[in-house]
Amino acid sequence: MSPDPVMSPSRPCLLVESLRPLVAAEADAEAQDGALESADLEQDVWVRLLERLDAGGPPRDAGAWVRGAVRDAARTARLRALRERSFGDEQVPEPLGREDCPERAVLAAERHRAIHAAVARTPGPCPRLLTALLSPSDPTYREIAGQLGISQGSLGPMRSRCLGCLRRMLAAEVAAPGLRGKER
């Protein structure tokens, strides 16, 4: 049996041209609900095909591969859309039950306690400055400078030094997260 000239790895242009109508039709079919753009799905499939050709050659059953790749791209796009939030002017409501969840309340209290304990251990004028910055009354720089008896212009550089010190302290206490997924 002679090899199919369309599926020949040495002729990817023929493969792309032969699959173009199928990719467009499958992408249009998946994007029917209006939540997805068919052009985005097509682009994702073409990138996957190029990666496939580069890694190991063309798929054996190109039609089945295209249908699966389009469905996978659509599923990924829908999941991504569920996680995305708008940065518009409207307020994004908190997830239901967030304030009623005792685990979250305990974790938030523990996080605040750890931060305030680390702030207290910072050197020099940093504890007073960071405590003022963390105040629930949300004071302005002018109010903080007046409270600490320093110029408003020196507040920014001092804040940067203190936050850097706090960051280094907390990084030393918290283990770095391990790698997730496949290592390359």
Side-chain angles (χ1 to χ4, degrees):
M1 184 165 128
S2 66
D4 185 0
V6 172
M7 293 304 183
S8 171
S10 63
R11 304 187 70 164
C13 290
L14 288 175
L15 176 63
V16 169
E17 287 304 316
S18 69
L19 292 179
R20 188 178 309 274
L22 179 61
V23 170
E26 289 291 329
D28 286 341
E30 280 293 329
Q32 285 293 326
D33 60 3
L36 303 174
E37 293 287 330
S38 63
D40 292 340
L41 294 175
E42 284 184 55
Q43 182 178 7
D44 191 17
V45 171
W46 291 123
V47 169
R48 289 176 190 214
L49 180 62
L50 289 175
E51 289 171 347
R52 168 85 187 237
L53 290 174
D54 189 40
R60 289 193 187 273
D61 183 2
W65 184 88
V66 166
R67 284 187 287 280
V70 170
R71 285 190 188 103
D72 188 46
R75 185 179 327 109
T76 302
R78 285 184 183 105
L79 289 173
R80 187 180 308 119
L82 289 174
R83 291 189 309 258
E84 290 177 348
R85 288 196 220 174
S86 170
F87 286 111
D89 293 335
E90 70 278 353
Q91 286 285 42
V92 177
E94 289 293 321
L96 293 177
R98 182 175 178 117
E99 62 279 345
D100 296 334
C101 181
E103 292 88 4
R104 290 180 198 241
V106 168
L107 289 173
E110 179 62 24
R111 189 171 43 250
H112 288 286
R113 188 205 57 77
I115 289 172
H116 285 284
V119 164
R121 293 191 316 268
T122 56
C126 292
R128 290 182 56 213
L129 173 64
L130 293 173
T131 300
L133 289 171
L134 290 171
S135 171
S137 64
D138 196 26
T140 64
Y141 266 29
R142 178 176 288 175
E143 293 169 343
I144 293 172
Q147 178 184 355
L148 298 177
I150 59 175
S151 71
Q152 188 175 343
S154 64
L155 192 60
M158 182 187 285
R159 173 188 155 270
S160 294
R161 284 192 301 275
C162 292
L163 287 175
C165 182
L166 181 64
R167 189 177 301 116
R168 286 187 299 277
M169 288 174 59
L170 292 174
E173 293 175 10
V174 177
L179 294 175
R180 298 186 321 201
K182 295 181 180 179
E183 294 183 36
R184 294 188 181 192

